Amino acid sequence: LFPMFRGVLSRVRMYSEGLTLAIVSVVIFGDMTIVVRFASFYTQPWELILLILLVDAAFLIPWKKDAWLPQVSILAACWLLMELNNYYALASIVFSMAYWLLMRRKTDVIHRTAYLIAAVLLCFISVVNGTHMLETQTKVEKHDQMTRGVLFQADNPEEALEFFGIEPRYSVLTDNYAAQSFPAADIYSGVLDEGFLDQYDTGEVALYYITHPLDLVSLFDVGTHSAFITRSDFSGNYERSMGLPPRAKSPMMSIWSTFKEQSAPKTAGLFLLLGAALIFFRRGSKDDTPEGEAEKVFTMMCLLLIVFAIAQLLTVLIMSGDSLLVRQSFMMSVFIDILVVLFLSEVLHKLKIIDVDKE
């Protein structure tokens, strides 16, 4: 976190502003939502570390033109993220654009060739992992792709099924009929293999969302809502070590997660508004000085981070609907935390809200 915090604190000029940012950062990144994740058997601890590595690279690259480590860390972090979780495949293609951006800053053959190789390699790895993600999609994920995704957001499930050539009677699988007494279908029994699961694939589902963008926006809002509620109901060893009963939530170090869950507007609009405000505040100067160029590059890196988070969450939603959001929305949740800190630093820098220091 050091490069990110150093970059954030460099935006403020007063001790009071820096102290405010430091306190807010401790409250956010010291929250139990993140701390207890490191005892998880899932890949979330590594995903957290690699995401922060990408953010650190975004802070270092604009002002470290001759350093190789930040540029290499993008390739390494994206590669490892895809190896840990195939749902990062599409998102990692976004960061290949960072290397095309860096090629504009370097005119020598060595750097431009290295960036070109890195961009092509990252795209190739993304395609390989994306293909593997499609090939290893389970029956449950494919079932949820339709029932917890397409049908979940469709105003008329029967019309949505008609788009795929599926008989309207399968609309009983959607949650719209959850209150009715239809028995649940066993996905692995084979009763849905013909006439339902064999009638669509991920490409057709993606085409459906392209032709019905409001359904995808609505589903993305559901995913963002889930990202605001990521504190585990059960943290196992933590509750036992604190002498708490199972599923009890300690108030200690949980101010931020409680605020996000109970008070903050949990919508995609808030996330997009924070992202747009950050880009607006950090937009680079129009001059061609080294500092102006660095600001432009940093603004683009921030934009890539935002698109990266959106692409990862959309991949999860398109591949499996909202069924895996409890685990797969963790990255978006962490990025929202990072975005809040970056936004606060810009607000303090531009508006000088806290101005108590004396000359």
Side-chain angles (χ1 to χ4, degrees), residues 142-151 164 166 196 200:
K142 188 170 184 178
H143 173 271
D144 293 339
Q145 185 178 45
M146 180 61 66
T147 59
R148 299 298 304 168
V150 174
L151 300 182
F164 300 94
I166 302 175
F196 184 71
Y200 64 93

Side-chain angles (χ1 to χ4, degrees), residues 5 41 71 91 140 188 232 236 249 251 303 308 319 324:
F5 285 143
F41 289 110
Q71 288 84 337
V140 173
Y188 289 103
S232 303
K249 290 187 176 182
L303 181 59
F308 176 84
M319 289 295 298
L324 297 180

Side-chain angles (χ1 to χ4, degrees), residues 68 71-72 74-76 78-79 82 89-104 110-128 304:
W68 283 94
Q71 288 84 337
V72 174
I74 291 180
L75 177 60
C78 290
W79 191 343
M82 287 184 286
L90 177 61
S92 294
I93 294 180
V94 174
F95 259 101
S96 68
M97 299 175 60
Y99 291 108
W100 301 112
L101 176 66
L102 292 173
M103 288 177 64
R104 298 175 55 188
I110 296 178
H111 280 86
R112 292 176 69 89
T113 302
Y115 293 151
L116 177 61
I117 293 174
V120 173
L121 180 60
L122 189 53
C123 286
F124 175 75
I125 298 172
S126 298
V127 171
V128 172
L304 289 177

Side-chain angles (χ1 to χ4, degrees), residues 116-269:
L116 177 61
I117 293 174
V120 173
L121 180 60
L122 189 53
C123 286
F124 175 75
I125 298 172
S126 298
V127 171
V128 172
N129 279 271
T131 303
H132 182 261
M133 175 182 65
L134 295 175
E135 293 176 346
T136 57
Q137 184 184 35
T138 65
K139 275 190 176 182
V140 173
E141 290 172 338
K142 188 170 184 178
H143 173 271
D144 293 339
Q145 185 178 45
M146 180 61 66
T147 59
R148 299 298 304 168
V150 174
L151 300 182
F152 181 62
Q153 294 301 324
D155 293 329
N156 190 322
E158 287 78 9
E159 290 184 1
L161 289 171
E162 185 179 352
F163 181 90
F164 300 94
I166 302 175
E167 296 180 17
R169 62 191 178 92
Y170 285 100
S171 62
V172 298
L173 297 173
T174 184
D175 270 4
N176 293 349
Y177 294 86
Q180 302 183 25
S181 301
F182 290 104
D186 184 358
I187 300 173
Y188 289 103
S189 66
V191 297
L192 297 177
D193 289 355
E194 295 184 7
F196 184 71
L197 293 178
D198 62 337
Q199 296 297 110
Y200 64 93
D201 55 29
T202 300
E204 292 173 327
V205 171
L207 179 61
Y208 173 85
Y209 285 126
I210 291 175
T211 56
H212 299 76
L214 292 181
D215 288 355
L216 184 60
V217 171
S218 180
L219 192 59
F220 180 73
D221 190 64
V222 172
T224 308
H225 183 278
S226 177
F228 277 89
I229 309 174
T230 54
R231 187 177 179 189
S232 303
D233 288 330
F234 182 66
S235 300
N237 293 332
Y238 174 72
E239 277 102 0
R240 284 192 289 272
S241 65
M242 293 292 293
L244 299 173
R247 299 189 182 278
K249 290 187 176 182
S250 169
M252 180 181 178
M253 297 175 65
S254 61
I255 297 175
W256 177 243
S257 59
T258 301
F259 170 76
K260 284 202 302 181
E261 183 172 342
Q262 299 182 3
S263 303
K266 296 178 283 292
T267 65

Side-chain angles (χ1 to χ4, degrees), residues 1-41:
L1 287 173
F2 177 73
M4 183 186 76
F5 285 143
R6 184 176 60 182
V8 168
L9 292 174
S10 67
R11 296 294 287 173
V12 298
R13 295 291 180 265
M14 300 181 181
Y15 174 79
S16 54
E17 295 174 346
L19 180 61
T20 301
L21 273 176
I23 294 174
V24 171
S25 298
V26 170
V27 170
I28 291 177
F29 293 104
D31 194 277
M32 292 311 305
T33 300
I34 293 179
V35 175
V36 298
R37 297 277 178 172
F38 283 95
S40 172
F41 289 110

